[in-house]
Amino acid sequence: MAAEASPGVSFLAGGGEMGALMRRHDWASTLLGPPESWPQSLRTTVSTCLNCAFPILVWWGPDLVKIYNDAYCPVLGRKHPNALGRAGREVWPEIWDVIGPMLDTVMTQGEPTRAQDLLLPIERHGYAEECYFSFSYSPIHDESGAVGGVFCPVVETTDRVIGERRLRLLGNLAQCAAGPDGPEAFARAAMGCMADGGLRDFFFAALYLQDSSTPLRPVATAGIPVDAAPDLCDGSRWFVDEVMCSGEPRCLDNVPARFPLPLNGAWDHPPKRALVLPLDAGTGRPLGALVVGLSPHRPQEELRDFAGLTAGQIASGLTKARAYEEERRRAEALAELDHAKTVFFSNVSHEFRTPLTLMLGPVEEILARPEADLAADIRQSLDLVHRSTLRLQKLVDSMLDFSRIEAGRMAAAFVPTDIGGFTAELASSYQSMTERAGLRLTITCDTLPAPAYLDRDMWEKVVFNLLSNAFKFTLEGEIRVTTALSADGRAAEVTVADTGIGIPADALPRLFERFYRVQETRGRSFEGSGIGLAMVRELVQLQGGTIRVTSVPGEGSTFVVSIPLGSDHLPASGIVAESQEVRSGRRADMYLSEAERWLPAETDAEPPEGEPAPAAHLPESRAAAADTAIMGRILVADDNTDMRGYIERLLSNAGFDVQAVANGQAALD
Ligand code: ADP
């Protein structure tokens, strides 16, 4: 209900506390004179102002006398109620240099004006407070048509502006921590964020780090140069030891007297107070300390809270940065180790290769002698030496290839090749081996419209590795080798598919990783080092191609190598017109002689599966006795036909009656 007003000043009715104050006010002694004398335009404006729920301020007359409503009172702070009826310049001397000219423009030109989030450091609570306002100034025309005053709706936006700024800083600090650099780089980035934030809350900031061997040292600053950061080692002046031990921040007064501050931030006067905060990640002794100069223009309690949040964010960034650094160091150490390993393998492989070649030569020479010139048992032993040496050579070659690839020294010589014809030629070397194992080998290799540029040596390894695996893991059925044009006609797709044991789905993504082997798999042999497919992928990539695999356990696996046709994708320097190399067939020998050992000895019967069957080459009576007269068993860890044959011979020579040597076990009598 509207409060009463004397008859001549009914426009002052209502208006809450300010209405009452207006009615009580001694207007006669003000520049405006008694309300009864006020022009109608002022009366109407004042009535609107008093009865508005939004903060409204009216400036009137040449002295811009202030009249305002209840909602505006908080803007004035301690200046209320004295501000009522006083000239604007007297009420706001601290910001008159900003708003005076704006008001002047409205009064003299009659043009409205507005401001958005304008910084006005008003002294409503006894200190220059950082405050922001959005307002508009509109002219109020009096009865003569001239501008008699200014109508000003106003919103204080201090909380929003400062809140957003602080959130931005905390967000930016969090983002810095996502970078993969170490603590010092993070410290510099963090101080960069603070400097970019305008240094309004904290006039300066200095970040100190310490580790087990060094005391606190300034690493980065904002608002002052790094070499002007206070020397915290002077613990008595900075209470650093206390802060680091207690984990509690410490406020310091009288900062300018403690050390000179060549400020380069938003304010030109030094802060009176500073806060020393521990950078505590909750992991024992703090990682360092943060010193911030507190702005005297915001409530100190509020700033201390925000400084705590800032220090918390920086501490968690530092923890992450340390973890990154640790990780990087570990990765570097691993890379170094890896490099050392590569060099070691490379050297060792070279060292192995020469004696292996020197062993192979004479052995092959002797084996090439006519049948009659060599006793059967010696030939048998030399065959074993020969096959094992070839196997070793194949492994050593793979290690050498890996070392070369890792060192970037695997130079390819690309030769235009009929990929279908060449692949068919390589695959056909497995024909008799697959037949002996009771498998079908189907080769369907079309000649494609354009040549593929292959490094023939690399391609041999690719095809032989895939075929060797298909053979090893296919106990019955078929191996198919096909070449065809890709769907887009730009690449040759070479497929090696088998009807073997297949590969579990969870193993497929890791299949081409070095040293990866599928656990508990069953094939013709347990041998393997897990480097074959990794090597295949590297070699395919070196030739500009890709490899993929699909597989269904129990049904088989399909490996598809895609090689672009033509040479556009290759460096011109790697292309050669024709391979000068005369193919020796040695590589096919290596793979085939290894595969040979996976076949049951002296038979092309079924591959070993299930229960240890009596070996076919043992006399039936002995084999039958194997189950009953077992006196002991030897578990053959490196199980293959050669090893079994070797053990059998060794045991027989030692006088044992060997009952059965099959499937990884030798049963002795
Ligand atoms: P290795 O044969 O020396 O173990 P590879 O890198 O050639 O190493 O093969 C890795 C693993 O992938 C093999 O141990 C085997 O488990 C699986 N694998 C490869 N090819 C086939 C295949 N054709 N059928 C089933 N499993 C296969």
Side-chain angles (χ1 to χ4, degrees):
M1 200 173 68
E4 276 190 29
S6 55
V9 290
S10 58
F11 67 93
L12 290 179
E17 278 181 35
M18 282 310 296
L21 195 63
M22 293 271 304
R23 291 191 291 277
R24 283 201 311 270
H25 201 70
D26 175 17
W27 290 106
S29 60
T30 70
L31 293 162
L32 288 184
E36 292 80 359
S37 66
W38 294 0
Q40 186 54 45
S41 47
L42 175 58
R43 291 169 179 231
T44 310
T45 308
V46 166
S47 170
T48 310
C49 162
L50 287 179
N51 292 293
C52 182
F54 198 80
I56 304 277
L57 164 68
V58 176
W59 311 90
W60 193 260
D63 296 304
L64 297 164
V65 171
K66 268 177 98 88
I67 296 170
Y68 50 92
N69 63 4
D70 279 356
Y72 182 81
C73 289
V75 175
L76 284 164
R78 285 199 226 151
K79 293 180 189 255
H80 168 73
N82 284 345
L84 185 65
R86 302 266 302 276
R89 182 190 287 276
E90 283 173 36
V91 177
W92 294 127
E94 65 272 29
I95 55 168
W96 202 249
D97 59 326
V98 180
I99 62 172
M102 290 174 78
L103 288 163
D104 226 32
T105 311
V106 184
M107 291 296 283
T108 53
Q109 294 168 21
E111 290 291 327
T113 182
R114 63 195 286 260
Q116 180 84 27
D117 298 331
L118 183 67
L119 170 63
L120 295 172
I122 53 179
E123 293 182 22
R124 58 182 166 181
H125 295 303
Y127 65 95
E129 187 183 342
E130 184 190 354
C131 295
Y132 296 87
F133 296 93
S134 291
F135 56 88
S136 75
Y137 285 163
S138 313
I140 306 168
H141 293 274
D142 63 17
E143 285 64 16
S144 69
V147 179
V150 176
F151 186 79
C152 170
V154 57
V155 193
E156 175 160 5
T157 56
T158 308
D159 287 348
R160 181 179 56 74
V161 171
I162 292 181
E164 283 176 3
R165 180 176 79 205
R166 291 177 182 168
L167 270 182
R168 208 164 31 245
L169 174 63
L170 294 176
N172 289 345
L173 288 173
Q175 250 178 13
C176 286
D181 295 318
E184 296 212 2
F186 168 75
R188 283 191 292 276
M191 291 301 99
C193 287
M194 295 190 78
D196 291 348
L199 293 168
R200 290 207 173 273
D201 291 312
F202 311 125
F203 282 16
F204 73 91
L207 205 154
Y208 299 73
L209 292 181
Q210 68 174 8
D211 49 43
S212 48
S213 54
T214 51
L216 278 176
R217 68 208 147 85
V219 173
T221 48
I224 50 170
V226 178
D227 51 15
D231 178 9
L232 292 196
C233 292
D234 186 355
S236 56
R237 276 205 317 178
W238 289 93
F239 304 99
V240 170
D241 291 337
E242 184 191 312
V243 167
M244 297 302 268
C245 290
S246 70
E248 292 297 322
R250 172 90 198 215
C251 191
L252 303 164
D253 287 316
N254 216 2
V255 168
R258 282 174 194 271
F259 73 106
L261 272 174
L263 288 175
N264 52 25
W267 310 88
D268 53 4
H269 50 282
K272 288 197 182 62
R273 286 200 185 126
L275 209 55
V276 184
L277 299 112
L279 294 172
D280 190 354
T283 52
R285 192 162 164 79
L287 309 168
L290 176 72
V291 177
V292 289
L294 298 182
S295 160
H297 305 299
R298 291 299 308 159
Q300 300 298 285
E301 200 51 42
E302 173 197 298
L303 279 181
R304 265 179 235 174
D305 289 349
F306 180 54
L309 287 176
T310 307
Q313 193 69 278
I314 291 178
S316 89
L318 280 173
T319 314
K320 272 193 207 155
R322 282 207 171 170
Y324 278 132
E325 195 175 55
E326 244 345 273
E327 192 58 39
R328 204 189 60 223
R329 277 208 202 115
R330 260 202 303 274
E332 276 170 10
L334 277 179
E336 231 167 78
L337 208 67
D338 203 50
H339 178 68
K341 181 207 70 190
T342 307
V343 171
F344 172 74
F345 274 141
S346 175
N347 293 345
V348 166
S349 310
H350 269 295
E351 291 300 313
F352 277 165
R353 234 179 164 273
T354 315
L356 279 175
T357 314
L358 292 177
M359 280 157 70
L360 271 174
V363 169
E364 281 172 359
E365 240 169 61
I366 300 172
L367 283 174
R369 286 185 197 162
E371 199 76 18
D373 288 4
L374 208 58
D377 58 337
I378 296 182
R379 181 175 292 280
Q380 204 179 11
S381 295
L382 280 180
D383 260 336
L384 176 62
V385 172
H386 185 232
R387 278 200 298 271
S388 300
T389 316
L390 280 179
R391 183 179 171 215
L392 199 54
Q393 196 179 45
K394 181 168 161 268
L395 281 171
V396 167
D397 280 356
S398 300
M399 295 314 302
L400 255 180
D401 281 349
F402 265 129
S403 322
R404 286 200 194 107
I405 289 171
E406 262 176 24
R409 283 192 287 110
M410 188 80 155
F414 300 107
V415 181
T417 305
D418 164 15
I419 190 169
F422 186 40
T423 306
E425 182 191 320
L426 297 174
S428 60
S429 32
Y430 266 75
Q431 195 73 55
S432 97
M433 180 71 65
T434 42
E435 272 167 23
R436 282 172 56 205
L439 298 176
R440 262 189 327 281
L441 175 65
T442 314
I443 304 172
T444 321
C445 291
D446 306 334
T447 295
L448 301 181
Y453 282 67
L454 298 176
D455 178 303
R456 302 252 173 105
D457 200 45
M458 291 184 189
W459 189 248
E460 266 193 4
K461 289 179 194 167
V462 169
V463 174
F464 285 146
N465 260 300
L466 293 177
L467 270 170
S468 164
N469 277 347
F471 183 73
K472 188 172 11 168
F473 296 107
T474 306
L475 304 179
E476 58 188 14
E478 184 186 29
I479 299 173
R480 268 173 290 111
V481 180
T482 47
T483 52
L485 207 55
S486 65
D488 64 4
R490 294 205 193 140
E493 294 209 319
V494 178
T495 304
V496 177
D498 62 56
T499 55
I501 59 164
I503 301 161
D506 59 353
L508 289 176
R510 300 196 55 196
L511 209 62
F512 296 101
E513 279 175 24
R514 212 175 293 180
F515 305 121
Y516 179 77
R517 305 191 67 209
V518 179
Q519 296 298 312
E520 290 172 18
T521 198
R522 289 191 311 161
R524 292 179 188 280
S525 163
F526 300 107
E527 284 170 16
S529 51
I531 57 174
L533 287 178
M535 171 68 74
V536 164
R537 183 173 62 175
E538 298 275 7
L539 294 176
V540 166
Q541 285 172 349
L542 280 170
Q543 293 173 94
T546 56
I547 182 164
R548 59 185 191 273
V549 57
T550 51
S551 186
V552 179
E555 290 185 17
S557 311
T558 303
F559 289 83
V560 182
V561 180
S562 177
I563 297 281
L565 292 175
S567 59
D568 292 351
H569 59 290
L570 298 173
S573 58
I575 296 174
V576 288
E578 252 311 322
S579 175
Q580 304 301 314
E581 201 185 332
V582 179
R583 312 216 73 74
S584 66
R586 150 108 39 230
R587 178 151 306 114
D589 283 353
M590 270 188 213
Y591 281 86
L592 289 171
S593 81
E594 184 176 48
E596 177 107 13
R597 293 160 41 251
W598 302 336
L599 288 175
E602 294 173 29
T603 178
D604 52 1
E606 286 304 297
E609 241 211 292
E611 282 300 298
H617 57 289
L618 293 176
E620 229 173 76
S621 56
R622 283 172 59 187
D627 276 351
T628 51
I630 291 169
M631 300 295 286
R633 277 174 188 272
I634 294 176
L635 179 68
V636 187
D638 187 10
D639 182 32
N640 61 53
T641 318
D642 280 340
M643 183 57 82
R644 283 179 229 145
Y646 176 70
I647 290 175
E648 192 185 342
R649 249 177 299 135
L650 206 69
L651 293 173
S652 300
N653 290 345
F656 285 101
D657 184 12
V658 183
Q659 295 290 308
V661 181
N663 268 7
Q665 294 185 17
L668 313 178
D669 228 355

